[in-house]
Amino acid sequence: QQQVKQSPQSLIVQKGGISIINCAYENTAFDYFPWYQQFPGKGPALLIAIRPDVSEKKEGRFTISFNKSAKQFSLHIMDSQPGDSATYFCAASAPSNTGKLIFGQGTTLQVKP
Amino acid sequence: DSGVTQTPKHLITATGQRVTLRCSPRSGDLSVYWYQQSLDQGLQFLIQYYNGEERAKGNILERFSAQQFPDLHSELNLSSLELGDSALYFCASSVGAGTRRETQYFGPGTRLLVL
């Protein structure tokens, strides 16, 4: 119930291509879905986040698509660049008086020049 | 640089020992979160403190404990260490308690190796 399942585990994309990472959840109480980007040797950093009242959110080359009925959300990276090579984590949070985040297992993205 | 500092960067110790990890949140942030990152478990929420008080608890072992001090820095104490405790430990901070989904800013982490 508290899990967030993320796929694929790793992804190789050519420069200029589209990277797509998918996440699925079971807990319908989740109401906040952030994506974090982590470079080697660094801590995760918030990339983009969405709430379930919208189906899509776009920030630059990064877009979150959200399908409430399917309990799935995905990150699309358009025009992928070698600098996007990192590990990406989806996460979810349920309404509460805390900021606890449940993270997916992570996807290691490599963008080839 | 997120503004969250963690010390030490690396820690090597033996089984059965006790260690303390330290975290200083961003200036103005009242919440501190601790996460454990391992290869097989991913990023796991351990515990959250807000303005000195425990706010939420995750899958934190009884051998682990944490506290947040009046100056808002936090310490994570790990005792009776086992090989399986080897992991990256991240601290994150946010301005509020998390109820408004404030951004959590992560520190660079402490890499713990238990031999």
Side-chain angles (χ1 to χ4, degrees):
Chain A
Q1 274 285 323
Q2 285 293 315
Q3 282 187 332
V4 177
K5 294 184 180 179
Q6 184 172 346
S7 63
Q9 195 171 353
S10 62
L11 184 59
I12 300 174
V13 172
Q14 290 295 127
K15 178 182 174 182
I18 303 173
S19 304
I20 301 174
I21 304 170
N22 301 298
C23 285
Y25 62 96
E26 289 294 323
N27 187 350
T28 54
F30 286 151
D31 71 342
Y32 174 66
F33 303 89
W35 284 88
Y36 279 78
Q37 180 187 53
Q38 184 180 25
F39 292 105
K42 305 286 188 183
L46 179 67
L47 188 61
I48 186 173
I50 197 168
R51 291 182 185 268
D53 52 346
V54 297
S55 60
E56 186 175 282
K57 183 173 181 179
K58 186 175 181 180
E59 288 184 5
R61 296 184 293 108
F62 300 90
T63 300
I64 300 179
S65 297
F66 188 83
N67 186 329
K68 191 173 181 177
S69 60
K71 291 183 284 186
Q72 294 176 348
F73 59 110
S74 59
L75 176 70
H76 291 66
I77 306 174
M78 312 300 287
D79 187 26
S80 299
Q81 299 296 312
D84 297 330
S85 298
T87 300
Y88 293 81
F89 293 93
C90 62
S93 184
S96 68
N97 62 347
T98 83
K100 174 182 174 180
L101 290 174
I102 308 297
F103 282 90
Q105 287 293 93
T107 296
T108 301
L109 170 66
Q110 182 185 357
V111 181
K112 289 195 167 182
Chain B
D1 184 4
S2 67
V4 178
T5 60
Q6 289 187 247
T7 56
K9 273 194 164 182
H10 303 275
L11 201 46
I12 302 175
T13 188
T15 54
Q17 295 298 304
R18 172 189 168 95
V19 297
T20 297
L21 312 183
R22 183 188 168 103
C23 168
S24 292
R26 292 188 326 149
S27 176
D29 283 1
L30 297 178
S31 270
V32 168
Y33 309 79
W34 286 97
Y35 292 88
Q36 180 192 57
Q37 185 175 33
S38 59
L39 281 173
D40 57 340
Q41 294 288 330
L43 262 169
Q44 298 268 311
F45 170 77
L46 295 178
I47 197 163
Q48 175 194 359
Y49 277 83
Y50 173 70
N51 205 20
E53 300 288 327
E54 184 183 301
R55 192 76 170 189
K57 221 166 184 176
N59 297 325
I60 187 167
L61 299 170
E62 283 192 14
R63 300 182 286 108
F64 296 1
S65 65
Q67 55 183 327
Q68 186 179 29
F69 295 87
D71 67 352
L72 301 177
H73 91 272
S74 177
E75 291 181 358
L76 178 67
N77 300 295
L78 316 176
S79 61
S80 302
L81 284 167
E82 302 175 359
L83 296 178
D85 298 326
S86 296
L88 260 172
Y89 291 84
F90 286 105
C91 164
S93 73
S94 69
V95 63
T99 51
R100 296 187 179 183
R101 306 297 181 241
E102 306 93 4
T103 298
Q104 291 185 25
Y105 295 89
F106 281 73
T110 293
R111 184 173 294 277
L112 173 67
L113 180 59
V114 182
L115 299 175

